[in-house]
Amino acid sequence: MTYDVLIAGGGNAALCAAICAAREGAKVLIAEAAPMAMRGGNTRHTRNCRVAHDEGNGILTGPYPVEEYLDDLMRVTKGNTDPELAEMTLQRSKEVWDFLEEQGVRFQPSLGGTLSLGRTNAFFLGGGRSMLNALYRTAEDLGVEVRYETRVAEIQVEDGFFLGATLEADWETNAPRRDEVQARTFVAAAGGFESNIEWLKEGWGEAAENFLIRGTPYNTGGVLRLMLDAGADQIGSVDQFHSVAIDGRAPKFDGGIITRLDCVPFGIVLNEDGDRFYDEGEDFWPKRYAIWGRLVAAQPGQVGHVIIDAKSADLFMPSAFPPVVDETIEGLAAKIGLDTDRVRKTIDAFNAACQPGSFDHTTHDDCRTEGLDPPKTHWARPITDPPFQAYTLRPGITFTYMGVRVNRDARVLFDGAPSPNIFATGEIMAGNILGEGYLGGLGMTIGTVFGRIAGEQAAKSLTNRKAAE
């Protein structure tokens, strides 16, 4: 059977493309490598998307203009982004709320605490799983065909033109079945390679063995490898990814957002030597939480330890696992395997450097250190009140940034020229916007914006071809 659009992947980006193409009359096939119960890639673990808007709406608490959004993006990426694609993405993010709501997605107010996202981010009622279910219902109602446990094993590409693909069903079993599929257009939406430890080692060496993967185990980069081998232009570096400091007790794969720890701004973080290594209070958590995975990854053993006292115990989202607790700093240090004298010395130096101020976790307050390297810029209070708590941190990899280069029509570039019928959306092309750093909710926004574009452009290319014929 010949399809108009073949889509590799089954997450938010893929579904947005499928829905938009199907609404234009295209016959669409989605190949989702995961079983139905695990469908959706990393979208299953998401909670929100970051959207520009001119005013609050009862759920979003105030305006978030494109100009502020762009300033935030430039700051966290340090300018390592395609400015044209970035500005277009943020402009079109203003359409995301209405588009998703039209597909049956519902929203809820933000939670409080360290998230600080009530003004900027639209939270999905029921989380990512509920959002996915709404998109799948809409896609299926439009006639989109979905094949689960089916991966794209091969693609046929000639001079940047997609000719067909080989799908492999039941690929995790001992009896996989291969099927040659003809399609007029191809949309790559199968995620990055964060679950491929050997590929991560190309950027991080043996340290990658100690990484935990927050998301789906099915994002192994198979489609990305096929695209690059077919001559698609590469964007981004192999060692760049969205990574968060998560609880070291989390599972190797699929721990999800619940394993994230939000207590870092309220304490200090030590490495295995008992030393601090970065400013824990540099900025609000949604603008800095994603750098901590890389920071911990660069420490000995890829381990960190966050220590807080009783003053801060109720200021952040509850953790999935209980903290290690002790009435003394020395007892706490011993329980987490650190040198007690070294930890005592580090905390005494931090406490002595804390300046008097008015603590306020909702603003950039004036609680800071003086004469300490590294400093703590905000929310610095002496760690003095028992019981003391500790969490061990590991790098939790969410998604990788190396991918394929695209233009504003989501067309994949081959030697700088846009393909007539190959498109990409989601994590596989997110490196065009995210060269480094991260903003909470931006990944979902990129997938939604470029998913819509990919689906619309795929359908448009079909119309143009039929007219030419």
Side-chain angles (χ1 to χ4, degrees):
M1 182 178 292
T2 299
Y3 294 88
D4 293 319
V5 184
L6 170 63
I7 300 177
N12 168 64
L15 289 163
C16 289
I19 288 168
C20 289
R23 287 197 188 281
E24 296 298 322
K27 184 174 181 57
V28 181
L29 171 63
I30 288 177
E32 165 61 291
M36 185 175 181
M38 300 285 284
R39 69 183 182 183
N42 289 336
T43 304
R44 287 187 295 111
H45 295 301
T46 61
R47 292 187 291 186
N48 61 81
C49 58
R50 182 174 289 250
V51 294
H53 49 280
D54 296 326
E55 58 185 16
N57 62 5
I59 292 181
L60 294 168
T61 59
Y64 188 44
V66 171
E67 294 75 18
E68 181 184 352
Y69 198 162
L70 186 59
D71 181 67
D72 287 342
L73 176 63
M74 289 299 180
R75 185 165 59 255
V76 299
T77 62
K78 301 176 183 177
N80 189 1
T81 184
D82 183 311
E84 179 190 5
L85 296 184
E87 186 166 1
M88 183 201 73
T89 302
L90 306 194
Q91 286 285 355
R92 292 204 59 174
S93 77
K94 297 175 74 171
E95 308 165 8
V96 165
W97 177 293
D98 289 341
F99 171 77
L100 290 178
E101 198 164 49
E102 289 168 1
Q103 316 316 318
V105 178
R106 297 295 176 257
F107 298 94
Q108 67 181 42
S110 166
L111 300 174
T114 53
L115 288 172
S116 307
L117 294 173
R119 181 173 64 88
T120 60
N121 288 47
F123 277 70
F124 309 125
L125 180 63
R129 174 81 73 172
S130 179
M131 181 256 200
L132 265 176
N133 290 342
L135 294 180
Y136 269 102
R137 281 193 297 269
T138 299
E140 289 164 356
D141 287 346
L142 290 168
V144 173
E145 180 183 340
V146 183
R147 297 188 192 177
Y148 297 106
E149 300 179 72
T150 301
R151 67 178 179 180
V152 176
E154 296 177 9
I155 57 174
Q156 292 81 52
V157 177
E158 187 175 301
D159 296 327
F161 189 89
F162 176 75
L163 299 172
T166 302
L167 304 187
E168 193 171 53
D170 301 324
W171 63 277
E172 291 186 286
T173 71
N174 293 325
R177 295 176 290 105
R178 288 203 156 204
D179 182 21
E180 303 299 320
V181 172
Q182 302 300 314
R184 296 181 176 89
T185 60
F186 178 62
V187 178
F193 60 91
E194 63 273 7
S195 296
N196 188 329
I197 303 301
E198 291 304 313
W199 205 343
L200 291 177
K201 284 182 180 179
E202 293 183 17
W204 287 89
E206 288 304 312
E209 289 286 354
N210 294 325
F211 294 169
L212 303 178
I213 313 305
R214 300 172 72 206
T216 175
Y218 293 97
N219 280 8
T220 58
V223 173
L224 173 59
R225 178 61 73 191
L226 293 175
M227 294 285 287
L228 295 177
D229 288 348
D233 293 352
Q234 178 181 313
I235 188 75
S237 170
V238 71
D239 65 344
Q240 289 291 340
F241 45 50
H242 172 16
S243 175
V244 181
I246 66 173
D247 197 303
R249 296 164 289 185
K252 183 67 174 178
F253 296 99
D254 230 11
I257 202 164
I258 195 173
T259 61
R260 195 178 85 194
L261 294 171
D262 293 340
C263 51
V264 167
F266 304 128
I268 61 173
V269 181
L270 311 180
N271 61 19
E272 283 193 330
D273 298 326
D275 297 323
R276 292 177 60 248
F277 52 89
Y278 198 79
D279 180 354
E280 300 91 347
E282 183 179 36
D283 206 341
F284 289 119
W285 195 230
K287 298 177 183 178
R288 282 295 176 267
Y289 78 95
I291 71 171
W292 278 90
R294 292 183 63 84
L295 290 171
V296 172
Q299 297 305 306
Q302 294 70 58
V303 173
H305 304 274
V306 58
I307 295 177
I308 62 173
D309 70 2
K311 294 191 296 293
S312 301
D314 297 324
L315 293 177
F316 54 93
M317 291 286 290
S319 57
F321 305 101
V324 178
V325 180
D326 200 89
E327 292 296 318
T328 70
I329 291 295
E330 290 77 9
L332 189 71
K335 286 180 178 178
I336 60 177
L338 298 185
D339 181 270
T340 56
D341 291 339
R342 183 64 185 175
V343 172
R344 178 81 265 177
K345 181 178 179 181
T346 298
I347 289 181
D348 286 346
F350 173 79
N351 290 348
C354 289
Q355 302 300 298
S358 299
F359 177 82
D360 184 350
H361 72 279
T362 67
T363 68
H364 287 143
D365 69 9
D366 58 353
C367 293
R368 60 181 179 81
T369 61
E370 188 171 292
L372 192 68
D373 185 25
K376 186 171 182 183
T377 310
H378 305 290
W379 314 300
R381 296 188 293 178
I383 299 174
T384 53
D385 297 7
F388 303 99
Q389 299 183 5
Y391 293 92
T392 295
L393 307 175
R394 287 278 188 187
I397 314 304
T398 309
F399 66 89
T400 46
Y401 291 172
M402 190 184 82
V404 295
R405 191 180 294 274
V406 298
N407 66 7
R408 61 185 299 118
D409 290 334
R411 295 180 186 272
V412 177
L413 303 185
F414 289 77
D415 293 327
S419 169
N421 67 343
I422 303 177
F423 306 86
T425 177
E427 294 175 12
I428 201 168
M429 50 67 59
N432 290 269
I433 314 298
L434 289 165
E436 60 181 287
Y438 190 66
L439 280 173
L442 181 55
M444 287 293 288
T445 301
I446 293 172
T448 305
V449 168
F450 274 89
R452 293 182 66 195
I453 294 172
E456 292 163 358
Q457 290 297 318
K460 183 178 178 180
S461 70
L462 293 170
T463 303
N464 292 341
R465 191 186 309 172
K466 289 176 181 177
E469 294 173 353

